[in-house]
Amino acid sequence: MLTIARLTGDEMRARLDDLARLRIAVFRAWPYLYKGTMEHEREYLPRYAEARTGTLVVARDGEKIVGASTALGLDEESDYVRTPFEKAGMDLAQIFYFGESVLLPEYRGQGVGVRFFEEREAAARAHGYREAAFCGVVRPDDHPARPADYVPLDAFWARRGYAKRPDLVATF
C-alpha cells in the first residue's frame, strides 16, 4: 500500500539522496533523456530544503520511497526558470513552481500523480501563492528516441486545470 507525505526542512533534507536516486533512474527515460550523477544531484537538490517554501512530496511503499515531487515559490527558483515569467510581466511572488515529479514505472496508474498535484497545490495555498506553474519537456514528435507507445501527459495536466503556455519557455 502506498502512502503519500509532504516533507519540509530537515525531514526533506534527510530524503534528498532518495530523491536524487529516483531522478537519476526515472529521468534516464523518454522524454527526459537525462544522465544525472549523484554529485550533480547533491549540488542541485538542497535548494529545495533551504528555500522558505521548499516542498517535497514522497510516495512510499512501506519504508521505500518510490516516487517524489518538488515545489517552491517561483520567486525562490533559479534564474533560468524565472526569466520567461519575468519577461511576460508576471508577479513571481504569486506563482508556486512545481519542480519534478518522478515515480517508478511499476507504481504509475494508481493516482499518485494526482496526489502529487494535490499536495503541491495545498503547499502553494499554505504559503499564500495564488497560481501554480511547471515546465514540461518539449521534444520533437519525430525524435529518434521517442518510444512508439509514448503517451504525453498533456491530457492529465489539462484534467488538473493546467494549460500549455507556448509563450513561456525555459531552457534547461
Side-chain angles (χ1 to χ4, degrees), residues 38-99:
M38 286 299 286
E39 179 181 68
H40 172 74
E41 295 296 314
R42 286 180 175 147
E43 290 174 14
Y44 169 77
L45 293 174
R47 67 198 190 93
Y48 286 107
E50 294 161 3
R52 174 183 53 82
T53 59
T55 302
L56 172 63
V57 181
V58 296
R60 289 186 181 104
D61 183 352
E63 290 302 311
K64 180 184 178 188
I65 293 182
V66 298
S69 192
T70 61
L72 75 166
L74 189 56
D75 49 338
E76 294 188 275
E77 200 20 292
S78 300
D79 289 344
Y80 62 90
V81 177
R82 287 194 325 253
T83 298
F85 295 88
E86 290 170 332
K87 285 182 179 177
M90 300 174 87
D91 183 0
L92 304 188
Q94 296 299 317
I95 304 169
F96 205 60
Y97 181 74
F98 296 173

Side-chain angles (χ1 to χ4, degrees), residues 70-172:
T70 61
L72 75 166
L74 189 56
D75 49 338
E76 294 188 275
E77 200 20 292
S78 300
D79 289 344
Y80 62 90
V81 177
R82 287 194 325 253
T83 298
F85 295 88
E86 290 170 332
K87 285 182 179 177
M90 300 174 87
D91 183 0
L92 304 188
Q94 296 299 317
I95 304 169
F96 205 60
Y97 181 74
F98 296 173
E100 57 276 305
S101 284
V102 289
L103 184 64
L104 295 175
E106 59 269 30
Y107 293 94
R108 296 177 187 163
Q110 300 179 42
V112 176
V114 171
R115 289 292 310 280
F116 282 168
F117 270 85
E118 290 170 348
E119 291 294 330
R120 293 182 298 175
E121 289 164 354
R125 287 189 296 276
H127 288 292
Y129 289 85
R130 294 183 182 179
E131 299 178 75
F134 62 92
C135 292
V137 176
V138 177
R139 299 241 187 242
D141 289 340
D142 64 350
H143 191 288
R146 181 186 172 115
D149 62 348
Y150 175 70
V151 177
L153 293 172
D154 299 12
F156 170 79
W157 296 328
R159 284 192 302 274
R160 297 276 332 134
Y162 294 88
K164 282 187 175 183
R165 291 283 308 264
D167 58 318
L168 299 173
V169 177
T171 302
F172 290 70

Side-chain angles (χ1 to χ4, degrees), residues 18-34:
D18 294 318
L19 174 58
R21 284 187 285 278
L22 282 168
R23 280 174 44 92
I24 291 168
V26 172
F27 284 168
R28 285 191 192 280
W30 178 267
Y32 314 100
L33 306 176
Y34 169 71

